Amino acid sequence: MAKANSEIHKLRATIEGIPNQGALPAPEAQKAIEKSSNISIPFPRSLALGSKLLLAYARPKNISIVGSYARKTAVLRDGKNLFQAKDYRDHRYFQKRAYYLACIAVGIQKAQIPSLDMSFAYLDDNMLQPIIIAQPRLDGSDKVRAHSSWKIRILVAAKDDIFPLEKTLPTKSCIKDIAAEGDHPTPRYNATLRSECCSSSYVKQLHQSTIRSSAFQGACMLGAIWLRQRGLGSAISTGGFGQFEWATLISILMRDGGRAGRPVLSTGYSSYQLFKATLQFLSSTDLISSPILIQSPNFKLTPTKIPMLFDGPRGLNVLYKMSCWSYRLLQNEAQNSLKALNDPLADHFRILFINKVEEPLKRFDHSFRVPIKKPDTETSTIDVPDLAEILYEKFCYGLGNRATLVYPQVPGTSVWPVASRASCSDDLTGTTIGLLLDPEHCLRTVDRGPSIEDKNASAVFRKFWGDKAELRRFKDGTILESLIWDTSDCKQPAINSIINHILSRHFGLIDQESSSADSEAFARLLPQQGSSQSDVLGPFSAVMASFESLCKSIRAMEGLPLQIRQIFAASPELRYASLYAPVTGRQNHPGRAVECLIQFEGSTRWPDDLLAVQRTKIAFLLKIADSIGKDDSVSAVRLRLEKSKRKLLEQSCLDLKTADGIVFRLQIYHEHELIMLEKALNGRIPCPSPKEEVALAVSEHKRKFIQRPTHTQAVTTLSTRFPLLSQTIRLLKKWRDCHLLSSHLADELIELIAIRTFIHPYPWQPPGSLRSGFLRTLSFVAGWDWQSEPLILDFNSELNAQEIQSIRIRFDAWRKLDPGMNRVAIFAASNIDREGITWTDRRPAKIIASRFTSLARAACELVKREGLDLKPEALFVPSLVEYDVVIHLKQHDHLKKSSFKNLQIESEEDTFDAICNPRRLFFDELQELYGDDIVFFYNESAITVIAGLWNPQTGPRKWKIGLNYSTMPLAKKDGAEEQVTINKAAVLHDIARLGGDMITKIDQK
């Protein structure tokens, strides 16, 4: 920073050497500046210069250097004799200030400092406060600025007592043309005047706060980081609440702000306590409806639309740059941060100070761009904040309780050369509106307006909505103004219809002029949707109804040896979590049957031998098949035996095809079986199977018969509690499948990751749209350090600190037991599954987990780069260049009819072709035969390619007997031992022969 300090000294000497200039009428002074240099005076826009206004320049009384090292700020305090008593009216002060700044620019230009470029900008986007910016010059040979981020800002300030405080209170009117229509206050203009006079006073106050509290500076640093990660700053375009406002707020609250003038914050607090207490103040105090006045007993405040923290001794509303919507956003961020701090499972430091929260596609549930044109730019007095306020009021009224927050994001002002005037575009194409939606109300299709008896409210309602408003009588007998939004075609949800209607009626914009990367673009990627946009669980209504009917039929069966105690749902289709939902009258998606478990009442007649238990289950299933096969609701029944090399892992099941075409798979759960398996594992009962097989059987039994039904019940409950959870899970599974990770990431693991976004949503609130739910989930995966951080979920807030710690201890034990993460790479636990490895034991492998997070990072980078222009389809395009082998399969799914009579299928009713997927069977066989040699990848929902990576262990090695793959010798080097490697050509030839006509081609690196 030595270069920056040197340039500051040069600028200071230059400014001190600028000669005084006598007072001239404004037009003459302007001509003199333009004649002597090419500097354009940065007068406030749309203001005519009065001929009686006298402009002069005098050397500044003092020059103060303030600000950070990266952005040096020189504050010039001009003399009192340059201003008259009434210059606070009608922009006179700001016109004189602009001329004063132009004289400084002329002086710096004449000094010809070769290393600096000079330009004008607006201080915090306030068009009344132009400043000079000097930064390293960038030319063809000197790339200094490319490697330097510092810049010097030159501000102009006035003395504290230059204007009477009572004349610039927020309730006063200081602009004549506004006062001519009535005594309308000009609070923002007045506050800008006061801010020009209070800079030195606030510097002293902050310095005194540093002396009074040793933790004050640390709390300010924490606040600055917290604000920066949320995209909040002192500029109007970034919310009007930045580091200065944060520090000033803490300083004021350490002196006052409480009841009876008591301080809100104690000087004895630590920096963390000050930080948290300030968040609590921001989140719980509504400074719009309940303003706080500091040491101003005689000041009577009128209702205002902006937050008010009035500093009486200085006559300034500290939050004058904030709007209603930016204050609501600040409150929302403070509330989310406090909830995160109160969540024992949240990573507080990462959530508050590391995670970036400002990306609009993740922060807001719905965002859209509005190209509002500014009327008659050259003469209009409407400013950017005024346009934003119009947008805010229209959409707040139109959306009602559908949106918890409406945030118009207006573009910030830009820097411009000193030789030209500030650019003034005639449209604000960068204006965007972000919405936080209430999932409970945003899908509503009928809006109830005011009663017909309320004439004024009804008139306002009809004026706002036009022909869309209609009078309706409801079932409760009330007659109300109402709105009906048609979403039966599933092409446009109600929220989009409302937005388009408001844009068309009040801003003259047709639908095509507003662009949005809304949730509907993501919802269209799902293969099945409900009958309407509000029916997010609609695709599963058929299978749920069919399951209930099947349960009734099974319970009504007679002649079973034991009574049925319970029937469990144990399938993604029955927890609203499958990508494809079974539909009546049509086949299931290939390769998927709806699984459920039957538990009989306890009995001593169950055998005590494990293999005999399996045979008993088969007998029960045969009895069920015989009984239910006579039921008209079941069209076909088939007993299925899942063969395995390990006898204890063999499972029997019964496939039932209902009359509506949905296939269910029934299995029997016997609770005593787990006790016998654990005894066999401990050697307490004899078992012919090896101990490793028994351990696998214990793990598989817990997963299939205990954890999966419990998981299904929990996800079903959460899906009804969070309506958007189902769609988020389904879309995340499609993203997993599209990137060929179907066989490596269990459905239950994907569901747990998606659930985290809803029950532990920090640093955001629970998602209000599919877009925010999906992108926030990807953001978590992208930043998840699964090697050192377990995934712990608490579905219903029942885990205490001791139980959470025990889960973390179990995770640490696994990392010590398996440091190479060869068995457990990802640890995912919850209050219903505290072991943490139920869904991640032996899969995914470490390399797959790394691939998972890297794909999520790439997706998040694309989202950040594209913004509102994002095309959601781009997130689902797989890349095949990383794979060693790519097997391309035929596109059609039709089974080839055999020429042999005994292999031909006679009737569809006798088959279960709905769950027969030749491609899936081919993949399973490849996995069985070559899974140790090649790591295979495929898309379960659309198996068009099977990709593979050669196992590094099949590379060059010394030959030995018993290698379980085809090998070929390598050329022998001088003095080296003979080595062999896998015969890739032979392996691929065998794969091609095994696939037959199913394979179109095989690509190999």
Side-chain angles (χ1 to χ4, degrees), residues 212-232:
R212 295 181 64 221
S213 173
S214 58
F216 175 75
Q217 189 172 3
C220 291
M221 293 176 64
L222 291 176
I225 298 172
W226 182 82
L227 291 168
R228 184 172 65 245
Q229 297 305 98
R230 281 145 186 79
L232 299 173

Side-chain angles (χ1 to χ4, degrees), residues 578-580 589 592 729-745 747 750 876 878 883 937-943 945:
S578 63
L579 179 57
Y580 288 88
H589 184 258
R592 178 76 77 176
I729 291 175
R730 295 174 64 202
L731 193 59
L732 188 62
K733 286 184 177 180
K734 177 169 184 176
W735 182 83
R736 172 204 62 181
D737 293 346
C738 288
H739 292 287
L740 310 183
L741 297 177
S742 301
S743 60
H744 298 282
L745 299 172
D747 282 346
I750 294 297
F876 296 82
Y883 298 104
F937 302 82
Y938 84 116
N939 180 349
E940 182 181 25
S941 59
I943 310 178
V945 297

Side-chain angles (χ1 to χ4, degrees), residues 640-656:
R640 178 186 179 93
L641 296 178
E642 297 181 359
K643 291 293 184 180
S644 174
K645 296 179 180 179
R646 300 178 175 90
K647 293 295 182 181
L648 290 178
L649 294 180
E650 288 186 357
Q651 299 290 342
S652 57
C653 58
L654 185 68
D655 287 347
L656 305 174

Side-chain angles (χ1 to χ4, degrees), residues 30 86 140 242 286 413-414 469 547 569 681 743 746 927 990-991 1001:
Q30 184 177 11
K86 294 187 177 181
D286 189 347
T413 57
S414 58
F547 176 69
L681 182 62
S743 60
Q927 190 71 29
D990 290 343
I991 291 176
K1001 66 175 180 176

